[in-house]
């Protein structure tokens, strides 16, 4: 059993692909699938996470060890973006389980790296509240298409419209991200397409409701 784990770990680090996916992506995707549930409210999807079960699984421990060893400097841009998003979220799950703060160099530096690679990637970074982007696994082979779809699916979570005064309240998550003025403007253009009359925008705090699965 120990030898098999060592061989599997070596395969992961070497980056042998299975069906176009890096092995670590396959394991992470399975973990997300097994330890999350999707709930819908007003046609909007919210992902809830079983942090305890995920962190306590053997595959999660293996994933943490492997991600530390992956040669990020030799990755292509798409591989690097997918890896940084996934590793950020993997470490986020561990941090939530350990009840530690996410205000540390790893998370801050990862966000900065992703912003420099592709601003859209910040929409892949999640936390332990339902008003953050939903937790999903990203794949280097389809990362850019995934990001476009993920933004489209995530934006409805971040807005509340008051028709009586034509005001669109936008979750402060959007304002807290280091988006460029141009990118933020493109987001508001996407939002405005859903309304006949251009609404006014105001940032609002929707709260810190946990996305943890309660047992």
């Amino acid at each position: 059993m120990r030898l098999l784990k060592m061989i599997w770990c070596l395969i992961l680090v070497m980056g042998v692909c299975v069906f176009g996916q890096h092995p670590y992506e396959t394991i992470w995707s399975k973990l997300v699938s097994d330890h999350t549930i999707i709930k819908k409210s007003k046609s909007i999807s919210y992902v809830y996470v079983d942090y305890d079960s995920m962190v306590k699984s053997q595959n999660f421990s293996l994933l943490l060890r492997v991600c530390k060893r992956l040669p990020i400097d030799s990755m292509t841009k798409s591989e690097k973006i997918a890896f940084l998003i996934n590793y950020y979220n993997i470490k986020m799950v561990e941090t939530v389980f350990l009840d530690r703060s996410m205000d540390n160099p790893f998370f801050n530096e990862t966000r900065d790296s992703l912003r420099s690679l592709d601003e859209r990637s910040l929409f892949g970074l999640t936390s332990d509240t339902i008003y953050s982007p939903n937790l999903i696994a990203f794949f280097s082979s389809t990362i850019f298409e995934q990001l476009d779809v993920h933004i489209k699916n995530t934006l409805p979570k971040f807005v509340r419209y008051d028709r009586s005064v034509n005001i669109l309240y936008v979750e402060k998550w959007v304002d807290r991200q280091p988006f460029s003025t141009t990118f933020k403007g493109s987001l508001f253009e996407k939002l405005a397409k859903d309304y006949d009359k251009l609404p006014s925008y105001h940032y609002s705090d929707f709260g810190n409701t946990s996305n943890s699965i309660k047992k």
Side-chain angles (χ1 to χ4, degrees):
M1 181 64 71
R2 192 185 196 111
L3 179 60
L4 287 174
K5 285 185 178 180
M6 290 177 64
I7 293 173
W8 183 228
C9 188
L10 180 61
I11 290 173
L12 283 165
V13 174
M14 290 175 63
V16 179
C17 293
V18 180
F19 303 120
Q21 297 176 7
H22 190 289
Y24 96 84
E25 295 176 350
T26 303
I27 292 178
W28 176 229
S29 176
K30 184 68 165 54
L31 282 168
V32 172
S33 175
D34 288 348
H35 299 285
T36 63
I37 59 173
I38 299 174
K39 296 181 181 180
K40 284 197 173 184
S41 176
K42 298 180 180 179
S43 299
I44 300 174
S45 296
Y46 297 88
V47 171
Y48 289 79
V49 185
D50 188 341
Y51 293 97
D52 289 4
S53 295
M54 186 183 292
V55 172
K56 291 176 182 177
S57 68
Q58 289 186 342
N59 277 340
F60 189 84
S61 298
L62 174 63
L63 205 53
L64 282 174
R65 293 196 299 273
V66 166
C67 285
K68 291 178 182 178
R69 304 176 187 177
L70 290 178
I72 188 169
D73 290 338
S74 63
M75 292 180 180
T76 64
K77 182 178 180 179
S78 59
E79 290 171 341
K80 189 176 294 186
I81 292 173
F83 172 72
L84 288 175
I85 294 174
N86 288 330
Y87 193 26
Y88 181 104
N89 289 335
I90 290 166
K91 293 291 289 183
M92 179 279 298
V93 169
E94 180 190 40
T95 299
V96 171
F97 172 76
L98 296 174
D99 195 24
R100 294 175 179 170
S101 172
M102 290 183 64
D103 185 13
N104 65 55
F106 169 79
F107 292 112
N108 296 332
E109 291 168 7
T110 302
R111 279 194 297 269
D112 290 342
S113 296
L114 283 168
R115 181 184 181 278
S116 68
L117 288 166
D118 192 320
E119 288 182 87
R120 292 175 299 170
S121 62
L122 296 179
F123 271 87
L125 307 180
T126 187
S127 70
D128 61 342
T129 71
I130 62 171
Y131 295 116
S132 60
N134 286 331
L135 176 65
I136 68 170
F138 287 88
F139 306 103
S140 54
S141 60
T142 57
I143 182 63
F144 301 113
E145 294 86 351
Q146 268 190 291
L147 285 172
D148 285 337
V149 172
H150 196 55
I151 291 172
K152 181 179 179 181
N153 292 338
T154 300
L155 280 177
K157 293 178 62 175
F158 292 158
V159 296
R160 293 175 180 174
Y161 181 60
D162 187 338
R163 186 177 299 278
S164 64
V165 290
N166 194 37
I167 291 178
L168 196 65
Y169 293 98
V170 182
E171 223 296 314
K172 284 186 175 179
W173 181 92
V174 177
D175 191 40
R176 289 193 295 265
Q177 307 312 307
F179 294 133
S180 66
T181 302
T182 301
F183 183 76
K184 194 174 290 187
S186 71
L187 292 179
F188 287 140
E189 286 181 6
K190 288 183 175 68
L191 293 172
K193 291 179 181 179
D194 294 331
Y195 303 94
D196 296 331
K197 183 180 178 182
L198 186 66
S200 299
Y201 299 95
H202 292 276
Y203 289 110
S204 179
D205 188 350
F206 291 2
N208 293 311
T209 305
S210 172
N211 63 7
S212 176
I213 294 176
K214 305 299 182 183
K215 293 185 175 180

